Amino acid sequence: MNDAARKDRFHVPQSITWKLSNGDMNERFRLSGDYVRSYIPEVQDILNAGIDFFFYAGDQDLVCPFTLVKETALRTVWNEGDPLLGTKTAKFRKCAGRGESTYKKISSPSSPNYAKYIRAGHLTYARIFGAGHMVNEKKPAEAKHMFESWIFNRGLFQECDPGP
């Protein structure tokens, strides 16, 4: 990374020296409070307050893989009741355990079946196909459709079927 020709190619000033690790920069980042941590307790508070929450991820995201986002949704526990399984937490987990072939599809006129989701009570998780970390950059029409549906017509997001 410190090669002069490479710096020229990427318009990096020659005075900049790349280091594999920068303790000073890492410390400033850590002290800013913007670091990786679990937000499950805050999500649980939101769900327990009766507010809908939407986890989503692109299936080509290398920063926050959809499998990690789905696992975060599965680890979230909230108190919303379900007449069949006792809690919506149990229903969400049972629906997820049935596999993605049972998830419901999200489609728009210009992009059929661009995502799949599961919803139980106030919690929804969606996987957007062909999208990376910034879903709105790689799939702008689909992101717009999904968010507008979520905000203005949440009824499109139906409860999952936990099966037998």
Side-chain angles (χ1 to χ4, degrees), residues 140-158:
E142 292 84 351
K144 182 178 187 287
H145 177 264
M146 182 177 68
F147 290 123
E148 285 181 348
S149 298
W150 177 253
I151 293 166
F152 299 118
N153 194 1
R154 202 154 303 154
L156 291 176
F157 292 86
Q158 302 168 0

Side-chain angles (χ1 to χ4, degrees), residues 20-153:
L20 182 60
S21 179
N22 185 325
D24 180 54
M25 182 59 72
N26 185 41
E27 182 66 8
R28 286 190 285 165
F29 179 74
R30 190 184 67 74
L31 292 174
S32 76
D34 185 12
Y35 50 88
V36 176
R37 71 173 190 85
S38 173
Y39 285 91
I40 291 174
E42 288 84 353
V43 173
Q44 290 172 162
D45 288 345
I46 291 167
L47 292 167
N48 285 328
I51 300 168
D52 289 347
F53 196 89
F54 190 20
F55 282 107
Y56 67 93
D59 68 352
Q60 295 177 4
D61 188 341
L62 299 178
V63 177
C64 299
F66 76 92
T67 52
L68 176 66
V69 176
K70 180 180 173 184
E71 184 63 29
T72 301
L74 287 168
R75 289 176 184 234
T76 302
V77 177
W78 72 108
N79 299 325
E80 188 177 0
D82 182 79
L84 286 172
L85 298 172
T87 67
K88 294 294 184 178
T89 300
K91 183 176 186 179
F92 188 87
R93 290 176 177 168
K94 187 166 184 189
C95 290
R98 293 184 65 205
E100 283 200 19
S101 63
T102 64
Y103 291 15
K104 297 188 183 306
K105 297 173 184 170
I106 305 174
S107 295
S108 71
S110 63
S111 186
N113 304 325
Y114 66 84
K116 286 189 173 183
Y117 74 93
I118 52 175
R119 178 181 177 120
H122 295 296
L123 181 62
T124 303
Y125 160 78
R127 175 183 176 189
I128 299 85
F129 303 115
H133 187 63
M134 300 299 290
V135 172
N136 59 321
E137 288 181 6
K138 185 109 183 222
K139 296 286 188 174
E142 292 84 351
K144 182 178 187 287
H145 177 264
M146 182 177 68
F147 290 123
E148 285 181 348
S149 298
W150 177 253
I151 293 166
F152 299 118
N153 194 1

